[in-house]
Amino acid sequence: MSQGFPESGVGAVRPVLAVVALGSNLPGDHGSPVDLLEAALTFFSEAGLPIVRRSSWWTSSAWPDPSANEYRNGIAIVEATMDPDAMIRRLLEIETRFGRSRGARNADRTLDLDLIDHGGRVMDTPDLTLPHPRAHDRRFVMGPLAEIAPDWRHPRSGRTASSLAAEAAVGRDARPAT
């Protein structure tokens, strides 16, 4: 498999596979963080992001403060027909729809959606860096990604999701939820 998920054709309208990380440690208007995450995934197709594959939910201590509410995390691989800037705006709209309010960095949250990869694209702009600049070092991202796409390759390093999950330094306690 080539690095990342290769872009399909030229231009922003041809579909590409994109990796989205989901996380929650607050239930918002739902019964639990998992219920909220399931509801958010259900909304993805309506938002123009049909799901191709998804991981199971993983659990991990909050980071950097493990005394905060425990997190549930997962990965969705979606078919994206929008460019990365439009997609990140769409993800932020979904976060808002599910009660996300931005406050202190690493604070508890109802929904966190991170664009990890967009067709293997590498970019650095003031609004977006691809691949996500810290995902490779987070077991709660790479673990679920390795579960559904173990041979996915990081667009910068070329390393697989499986090898990155095994060596990730942040969220070492991340594991599939039972």
Side-chain angles (χ1 to χ4, degrees):
M1 180 179 247
S2 64
Q3 291 185 352
F5 291 107
E7 291 191 65
S8 301
V10 179
V13 294
R14 301 218 48 203
V16 299
L17 293 179
V19 177
V20 178
L22 300 92
S24 175
N25 73 338
L26 296 174
D29 293 335
H30 298 78
S32 70
V34 168
D35 292 340
L36 182 139
L37 290 166
E38 289 290 343
L41 279 179
T42 300
F43 185 71
F44 270 43
S45 287
E46 184 179 322
L49 301 168
I51 297 169
V52 176
R53 282 179 278 182
R54 62 166 280 193
S55 71
S56 63
W57 297 121
W58 285 51
T59 185
S60 66
S61 299
W63 184 88
D65 180 6
S67 68
N69 294 329
E70 191 173 71
Y71 270 85
R72 294 297 181 272
N73 296 92
I75 291 288
I77 298 174
V78 302
E79 184 177 282
T81 56
M82 57 191 81
D83 67 40
D85 292 314
M87 187 167 171
I88 197 68
R89 285 191 302 274
R90 183 70 46 88
L91 293 175
L92 293 172
E93 290 168 5
I94 295 170
E95 284 183 351
T96 301
R97 179 184 176 108
F98 284 88
R100 170 81 185 261
S101 60
R102 295 195 178 267
R105 186 178 178 111
N106 299 315
D108 290 344
R109 61 202 66 178
T110 54
L111 182 60
D112 186 28
L113 300 175
D114 289 326
L115 182 56
I116 305 303
D117 179 30
H118 188 283
R121 181 176 269 170
V122 174
M123 64 184 277
D124 289 296
T125 69
D127 296 323
L128 182 61
T129 300
L130 286 174
H132 186 285
R134 294 171 300 284
H136 68 278
D137 201 33
R138 295 176 172 176
R139 182 166 163 78
F140 51 84
V141 174
M142 288 295 123
L145 181 55
E147 175 186 305
I148 60 172
D151 295 329
W152 172 88
R153 291 193 177 271
H154 190 278
R156 289 187 192 266
S157 72
R159 297 191 54 209
T160 66
S162 291
S163 69
L164 291 167
E167 296 176 16
V170 177
R172 292 292 316 155
D173 69 328
R175 66 201 177 283
T178 54

